[in-house]
């Protein structure tokens, strides 16, 4: 039978074919088809084609037969019994036959497919390829009947697609359906429905099914709705990451842990494949990439944490590999990270903001997840992580000032957002370097490039990263030593701080690589002969670094052999370097000898180069003791150039050789003070080394000669006078001629020498005696005289030149006395109780100014530690030693000050103030630079009981000191001490948790002091209230306190309406007549501005969440989505809290706007802050406008109350206050005009008034904008928000109703004569214009005085017109 059918169909005998087919039953047809399928000879498709060809007579029987065959073919396709080629041929036949099917049959077949899609048992297979053709054929029909309804083909198709999308799909069909819809012609609405359905099925699919469905979705997005697809896919995987992290936190047993690890790994592999699909699609479709970048920007503004989630961050980094999106994506990621850190900073500073915005996950943890995931197949993000890390590190501050690099020393215990971002970038690069071998050379190259090229910005963070990498992976770095050698070539061009940091970071490599060390030495030798002084200084620092770290185990040659010809020695030394191995410490001998030989060349270089050498020698011999005597020989050789051997010659040093004169210019050639100081420190270290080694067989003549030389100089300096140096008061110290410059340089050198020999005389003696004390005081007396002379001459020369003093001679040079010596002096002066030392101590105390000098030197060192993290002098860079000295200094200061305060003795105020300043700097340095040692630092000053908080105990001690000062009879003379003590409290409070009980106790103590103590000193009150406001803002609600303080200010200053009498009662005693204005009110306004900033931040956060909600809603439901009623949400709670907060702020300004304030800074600041308030209110109104526009909710009742409060209690008062301010300004201008001399003070006052006038239009504009948004919101919400607000129509002039009524009454009582009336009008105008301020001010509580009459009378009198013009002039 099958052969007959095939032959008839092939021969074209359609009549016979139709007759045979019509005689066949359905069972026979099925049997023929089944038989052909078994044969597998390709006859199946020919039989099916023949049957269809014989059934085209459009009879009912033929249609039923066609339908049966069609269904049978579909079942064959779904059974997958045929080969793929045969299936494709059958599909082709069926697609051709669709054009001959009636519409009713097409609908039936479509419904069959719908039922199969809903069924879990059916396998759609290749049969699904027919569905697009069925829908296309159906849409071409003009009219069809579907479910007994007549409709067009397009409508029927739309109905079928909606039915399909609304029905339940089995997850095994989703991929096939997504692939099928690519061939269906869909409208945009239909496409949205299909995409939403498929996207909604993502959560029901297995992990391995997600990449192919994402691929199909991306292909579908080419038809439209790219934004919907990319947003929903990214959001889905972000949620998967969050859910995975939550499951990992909740896992309990080890079995669960293994299961979770497997699922997490599967998720990460799936996400990696999905990212590849999306990246490929973006490369092919730029519009898709643009939509993705827009989505990233929305996340940046609304939810940075979602943007930084592992999948989202990795996806963004993968997209950044595409050049056209690179810059945008990195900028978005960088901004998001900075925003998250800024948000964290806001939350730590304000308790209300912390409660309003929930805690977010640490950014560094999220980024670390992405780095960990990059090990599991996310190779495409590795390069992006490197770029992101460097982008973040480039945001480090501060920037250079006038092209000069400033040392990056932390000035606060809390890092700024930019610094946190830079640290995060460093962490990213370090972990990426550790995890991925392929990017290691690039990371090293980029770090070195930035260190070398960023000469105008700080590079310390790059150097720290390099140091960490070198310490952690030295062998890996050595694999890239070619790049390190390239960096060496630029050492001479770098700032000395950058070059030193780079060499210190790379120092571990020099011990394990001889070739790298040799390359460095070669570069340093070249730099020593450079024309640039900076390059020579770098060379000196580099050589000293090598000397410190390559210790000599044996002894060096004697001084005679060392001083031999350098040429012959140098060549031999170079050979020795290559012969010996770096692992043998004995081989370092030749290296150190060569370096010392190179360093001797410094004595022919500039003073700055020599200074670098002198400052580094002590540190070298303290770490490499075997070269101590060689260093002493070098110093002896140099010192002999300036030492006068004859004991009878004065002065003992040849100062003339320390100065070089070239033409009209004079330069310092030898920093003699630093040379002598270096000799002293090296001699002290040499004695210490000899004591430790106890080697009596070695006798060094150089050390003995230097000691004798130093003793001789010291004795002659003690006996000599300033006249011996020709530096008395009659000498010329002006900088206008070479003689004056030379004398000034000599004076500075001699000042340093006196300091060095004071230290030498004190340190080198075994025990203090009266004679030693007298010698030291004699040196100090000469030192003091010379400093006074230099200061007086500088002031006199400055007065002759117009009041400007020279910065060279007027500033006291940095002290050459070491911190160690200053500490020993302090211990002797304030803690030594040895009876044998009391006479010597009395000599120091009896010498005026000596104790102050020692304290000033100690404070100078502490200030250097705060500014630079290190101080001048020996051991100034040794953190452990510096910490010990800080503990000793702080302990002495605290003990002495406490004893004097408790005993009630009369003390020197300058001395105590200096001690407190030094104490504050010591606390500041420890709390910032060595915060991990803060507890032991405090324990050295106070006795701590067990289980007590160290920080709080110190604060309690300081509190007691403050109370003692305030309760003493002469507390007015010690109020300045309170400021310093409160500054220390502020540093210590940062060490306490805000939620701790101790923090609350300190806040209550500040409140008690502010309430009970009547302090009239402005700086003390400012510091006290500032501390109180700051702590209260972090832990509680500060607005209530600000409102009380504002009421106190209003009560003390009086009301702008002079007829109102206020009760003189205050909540806080520190607010009084002397402190209320301007101290307290400016402090209140400053805090109000901060609180408004926090309100703006929360409001922007709410707006961002609303924007994100709008984006999600429009993406899922379309732009024409209907309003959805929702119950109370967290957002509504936040809105109510924000409205309540703004209401409290309004009450604070309600008090301040009624206060009588002086013209100037106070009014200016108040106007600026009120403008800020109305800007915030305008933002609030715009926020609700957005909510109504997007149909996402409605405003709360509290907002209505807030609008009413601002309209009734603030806006009207502001206009009255503006009138008051302008009248005060007019009076001030008139007062300035009467002053014919036009003094500078008067000009300054007029300038302030002009500046105030600029703030009034800004305030008016802010109010009008706020009212404008309220009008728009009223129309949207159908709620009258303007009920309690009076709008103004014009402000070109003012009509004072009180003055106008008075003028009208006088006009009515005057003569009816026109001339008389006119005269009377002019008289009244004059009286109106000259009315006093108290009388012309508009009554409070009425309409605002800056508004014009809305409905002016139709008939204006001459009085009104003239009055109008005159008032306008006023």
């Amino acid at each position: 039978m099958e052969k007959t059918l095939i032959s008839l169909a092939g021969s074209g005998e359609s009549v016979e074919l139709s007759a045979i087919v019509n005689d066949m039953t359905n069972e026979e047809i099925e049997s023929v088809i089944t038989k052909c399928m078994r044969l597998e000879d390709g006859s199946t498709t020919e039989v099916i084609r023949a049957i269809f060809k014989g059934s085209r007579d459009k009879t009912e029987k033929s249609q039923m037969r066609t339908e049966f065959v069609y269904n049978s073919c579909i079942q064959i396709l779904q059974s997958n019994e045929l080969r793929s080629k045969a299936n494709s041929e059958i599909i082709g036949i069926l697609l051709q036959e669709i054009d001959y099917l009636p519409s009713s049959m097409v609908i039936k077949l479509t419904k069959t497919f719908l039922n199969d899609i809903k069924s879990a048992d059916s396998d759609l297979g290749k049969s699904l390829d027919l569905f697009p053709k069925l829908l296309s054929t159906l849409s071409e029909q003009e009219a069809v009947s579907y479910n007994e309804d007549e409709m067009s083909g397009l409508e029927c198709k739309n109905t079928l697609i909606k039915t399909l999308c609304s029905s339940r799909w089995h997850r095994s069909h989703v991929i096939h359906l997504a692939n099928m819809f690519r061939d269906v012609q869909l409208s945009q609405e239909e496409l949205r429905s299909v995409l939403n359905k498929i996207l909604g099925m993502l959560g029901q699919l297995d992990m391995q099914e997600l990449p192919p469905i994402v691929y199909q979705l991306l292909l579908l997005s080419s038809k439209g709705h790219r934004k919907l697809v990319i947003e929903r896919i990214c959001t889905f995987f972000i949620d998967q990451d969050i859910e995975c992290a939550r499951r990992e936190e909740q896992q309990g047993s080890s079995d669960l842990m293994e299961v979770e690890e497997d699922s997490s790994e599967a998720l990460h592999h799936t996400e990696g494949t999905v990212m590849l699909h999306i990246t490929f699609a973006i490369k092919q479709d730029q519009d898709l990439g643009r939509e993705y970048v827009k989505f990233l920007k929305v996340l940046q503004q609304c939810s940075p944490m979602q943007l930084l989630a592992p999948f989202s961050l990795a996806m963004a980094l993968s997209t950044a590999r595409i050049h056209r999106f690179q810059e945008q994506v990195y900028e978005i990621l960088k901004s998001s990270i900075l925003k998250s850190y800024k948000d964290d900073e806001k939350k730590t500073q304000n308790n209300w903001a912390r409660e309003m915005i929930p805690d977010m996950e640490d950014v560094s943890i999220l980024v670390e997840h992405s780095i960990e995931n990059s090990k599991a197949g996310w190779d495409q993000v590795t390069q992006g992580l490197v770029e992101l890390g460097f982008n973040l590190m480039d945001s480090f501050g501060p920037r250079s000032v006038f092209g000069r690099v400033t040392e990056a020393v932390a000035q606060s215990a809390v890092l700024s957002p930019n610094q946190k971002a830079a640290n995060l970038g460093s962490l990213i690069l370090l972990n990426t370097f550790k995890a991925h071998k392929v990017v290691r050379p690039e990371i090293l190259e980029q770090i070195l490039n930035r260190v070398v090229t960023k000469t105008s910005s700080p590079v310390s963070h790059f150097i720290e990263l390099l140091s960490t990498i070198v310490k952690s992976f030295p062998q890996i770095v050595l694999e890239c030593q070619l790049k390190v050698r390239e960096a060496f070539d630029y050492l001479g061009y770098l700032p000395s701080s950058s070059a030193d940091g780079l060499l210190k970071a790379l120092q571990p490599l020099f011990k394990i690589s001889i070739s790298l060390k040799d390359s460095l030495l070669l570069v340093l030798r070249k730099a020593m002969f450079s024309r640039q002084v900076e390059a020579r200084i770098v060379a000196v620092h580099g050589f000293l670094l090598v000397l410190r770290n390559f210790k000599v185990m044996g002894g060096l040659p004697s001084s005679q052999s060392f001083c031999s010809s350098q040429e012959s020695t140098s060549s031999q030394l170079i050979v020795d370097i290559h012969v010996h191995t770096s692992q043998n410490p004995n081989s370092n001998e030749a290296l150190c000898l060569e370096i010392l030989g190179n360093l001797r060349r410094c004595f022919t270089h500039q003073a700055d180069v020599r200074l670098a050498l002198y400052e580094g020698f002590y540190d070298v011999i303290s770490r490499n003791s075997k070269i101590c005597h060689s260093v002493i020989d070098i110093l002896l050789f140099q010192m002999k150039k300036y030492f006068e051997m004859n004991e009878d010659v004065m002065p003992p040093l040849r100062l003339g050789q320390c100065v070089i004169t070239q033409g009209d210019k004079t330069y310092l050639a030898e920093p003699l003070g630093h040379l002598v100081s270096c000799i002293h420190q090296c001699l002290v270290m040499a004695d210490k080394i000899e004591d430790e080694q106890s080697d009596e067989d070695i006798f060094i003549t150089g050390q003995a000669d230097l000691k004798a030389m130093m003793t001789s100089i010291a004795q002659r300096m003690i006996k000599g006078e300033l006249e011996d140096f020709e530096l008395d008061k009659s000498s010329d110290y002006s900088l206008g001629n070479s003689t004056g410059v030379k004398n000034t340089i000599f004076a500075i050198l001699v000042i340093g020498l006196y300091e060095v020999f004071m230290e030498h005389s004190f340190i080198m003696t075994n025990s203090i005696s009266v004679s030693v004390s007298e010698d030291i005081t004699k040196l100090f007396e000469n030192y003091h005289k010379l400093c006074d002379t230099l200061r007086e001459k500088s002031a006199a020369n400055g007065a002759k030149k117009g009041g400007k003093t020279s910065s060279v001679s007027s500033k006291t040079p940095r002290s050459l006395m070491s911190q160690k010596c200053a500490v020993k002096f302090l211990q002797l002066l304030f803690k030594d109780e040895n009876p044998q030392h009391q006479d010597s101590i009395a000599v120091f105390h009896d010498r005026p100014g000596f104790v102050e000098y020692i304290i000033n030197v100690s404070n100078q060192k502490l200030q250097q530690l705060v500014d630079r993290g290190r101080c001048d002098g020996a051991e100034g860079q040794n953190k452990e030693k510096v910490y010990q000295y800080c503990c000793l200094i702080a302990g002495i200061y605290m003990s002495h000050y406490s004893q004097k305060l408790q005993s009630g003795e009369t003390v020197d105020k300058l001395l105590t103030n200096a001690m407190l300043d030094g104490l504050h700097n010591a606390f500041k340095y420890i709390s910032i630079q060595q915060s991990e040692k803060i507890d032991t630092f405090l324990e050295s000053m106070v006795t701590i009981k067990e289980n007590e908080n160290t920080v709080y105990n110190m604060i309690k001690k300081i509190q007691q000191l403050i109370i003692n000062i305030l309760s003493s009879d002469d507390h007015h003379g010690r109020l300045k001490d309170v400021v310093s003590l409160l500054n220390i409290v502020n540093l210590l409070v940062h060490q306490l948790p805000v939620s701790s009980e101790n923090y609350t106790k300190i806040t209550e103590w500040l409140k008690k002091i502010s309430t009970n103590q009547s302090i009239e000193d402005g700086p003390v009150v400012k510091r006290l209230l500032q501390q109180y406001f700051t702590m209260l803002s972090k832990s509680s609600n500060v607005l209530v306190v600000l409102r009380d303080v504002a009421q106190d200010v209003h009560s003390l200053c009086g009301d702008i309406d002079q007829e109102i009498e206020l009760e003189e009662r205050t909540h806080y005693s520190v607010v009084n007549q002397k402190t209320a204005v301007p101290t307290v009110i400016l402090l209140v306004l400053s805090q109000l501005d901060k609180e408004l900033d926090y309100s703006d931040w929360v409001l922007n956060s709410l707006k961002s969440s609303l924007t994100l909600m709008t984006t999600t809603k429009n993406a899922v439901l379309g732009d024409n989505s209907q309003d959805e009623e929702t119950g109370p949400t967290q957002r509504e709670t936040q809105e109510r809290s924000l409205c309540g907060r703004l209401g409290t702020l309004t009450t604070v300004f309600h008090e301040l706007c009624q206060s009588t304030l002086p013209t100037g800074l106070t009014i200016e600041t108040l106007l600026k802050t009120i403008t800020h308030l109305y800007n915030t209110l305008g933002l609030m109104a715009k926020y609700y406008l957005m909510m109504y526009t997007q149909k996402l909710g409605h405003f709360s009742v509290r907002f209505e109350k807030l609008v009413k409060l601002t309209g009734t209690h603030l806006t009207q008062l502001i206009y009255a206050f503006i009138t008051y301010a302008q009248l005060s300004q007019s009076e001030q201008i008139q007062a300035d005009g009467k002053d014919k001399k036009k003094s500078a003070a008067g000009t300054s006052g007029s300038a302030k008034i002009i500046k105030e006038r600029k703030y009034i239009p800004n305030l008016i504009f802010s109010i009008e904008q706020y009212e404008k948004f309220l009008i728009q919101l009223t129309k949207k919400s159908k709620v009258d928000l303007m009920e309690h607000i009076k709008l103004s129509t014009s402000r070109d002039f003012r009509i004072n109703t009180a003055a106008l009524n008075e003028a009208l009454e006088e006009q009515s009582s005057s003569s009816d004569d026109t001339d008389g009336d006119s005269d009377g009008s002019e008289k009244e105008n004059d009286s109106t214009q000259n009315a006093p301020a108290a009388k012309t001010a508009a009554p409070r509580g009425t309409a605002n005085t800056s508004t014009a009459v809305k409905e002016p009378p139709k008939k204006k009198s001459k009085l009104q017109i003239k009055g109008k013009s005159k008032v306008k002039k006023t």
Side-chain angles (χ1 to χ4, degrees), residues 596-811:
L596 289 174
N598 286 323
L599 289 177
R600 289 171 65 90
R601 299 181 183 276
C602 295
F603 298 136
T604 62
H605 293 169
Q606 291 86 348
D608 292 336
V609 181
R610 303 186 194 188
L611 180 61
L613 179 65
Y614 299 150
E615 290 179 342
F617 263 152
Y618 174 81
D619 195 21
V620 167
I621 63 175
S622 64
R623 297 179 60 179
N624 196 351
S625 59
K626 293 299 181 180
I627 65 172
C628 174
H629 299 301
S630 299
V631 171
I632 287 179
D633 288 339
I634 294 176
L635 294 174
L636 176 62
F637 173 78
Q638 182 68 6
M639 191 62 190
K640 287 180 178 179
K641 299 178 182 179
Y642 309 103
F643 177 64
E644 289 286 355
M645 300 295 294
N646 191 344
E647 296 285 341
D648 298 330
V649 175
M650 289 295 291
L653 296 170
R654 305 184 187 100
L655 296 181
Q657 296 184 13
C658 299
V659 175
I660 296 178
T661 302
Q662 296 179 351
D664 296 335
K665 296 183 179 180
T666 304
Y667 303 96
L668 174 66
E670 178 66 65
L672 191 58
H674 291 83
L675 171 60
V676 177
S677 176
C678 177
I679 292 172
H680 161 70
Q681 299 296 342
C682 290
L683 288 175
V684 173
M685 179 56 63
D687 292 342
K688 181 180 178 182
I689 292 172
E690 288 184 355
D691 294 339
E692 293 175 353
Q693 295 177 350
S694 65
D695 191 350
E696 300 178 356
D697 297 334
I698 300 177
F699 179 74
I700 304 299
T701 57
Q703 183 177 343
D705 292 344
L706 264 183
K707 283 186 177 181
M709 195 179 295
M710 292 289 287
T711 303
S712 173
I713 297 173
Q715 292 299 323
R716 284 189 272 178
M717 293 282 287
I718 293 169
K719 296 177 182 178
E721 298 293 339
L722 293 179
E723 288 77 6
D724 297 329
F725 294 95
E726 299 180 358
L727 294 175
D728 53 5
K729 292 186 177 181
S730 61
S731 301
D732 181 13
Y733 295 98
S734 64
L735 301 182
N737 55 75
S738 59
T739 303
V741 172
K742 184 183 295 185
N743 288 337
T744 301
I745 294 175
F746 286 164
I748 294 174
L749 291 177
V750 174
I751 286 173
L753 290 172
Y754 278 128
E755 287 189 304
V756 172
F757 283 107
M758 277 191 281
E759 178 174 353
H760 183 77
S761 301
F762 181 61
I763 297 296
M764 298 301 288
T765 54
N766 295 325
S767 61
I768 191 69
S769 62
V770 175
S771 60
V772 173
S773 300
E774 290 176 348
D775 290 345
I776 294 174
T777 53
K778 177 61 177 175
L779 290 170
F780 172 75
E781 182 178 354
N782 290 336
Y783 164 85
H784 190 65
K785 286 181 181 178
L786 185 55
C787 286
D788 289 344
T789 301
L790 197 61
R791 196 176 298 112
E792 291 173 4
K793 291 290 184 179
S794 175
N797 293 333
K800 293 179 181 179
K801 296 181 179 181
K804 294 184 179 180
T805 59
S806 170
S807 60
V808 177
S809 56
S810 62
K811 291 183 180 179

Side-chain angles (χ1 to χ4, degrees), residues 886 929 1345:
C886 285
Q929 302 292 336
T1345 58

Side-chain angles (χ1 to χ4, degrees), residues 972 975-976 979 1015-1022 1072 1074-1075 1079:
H972 294 289
L975 285 178
K976 186 177 179 181
V979 178
I1015 304 174
E1016 296 182 349
D1017 186 80
V1020 176
V1021 172
K1022 179 180 179 180
N1072 47 59
K1074 292 186 178 181
T1075 61
T1079 303

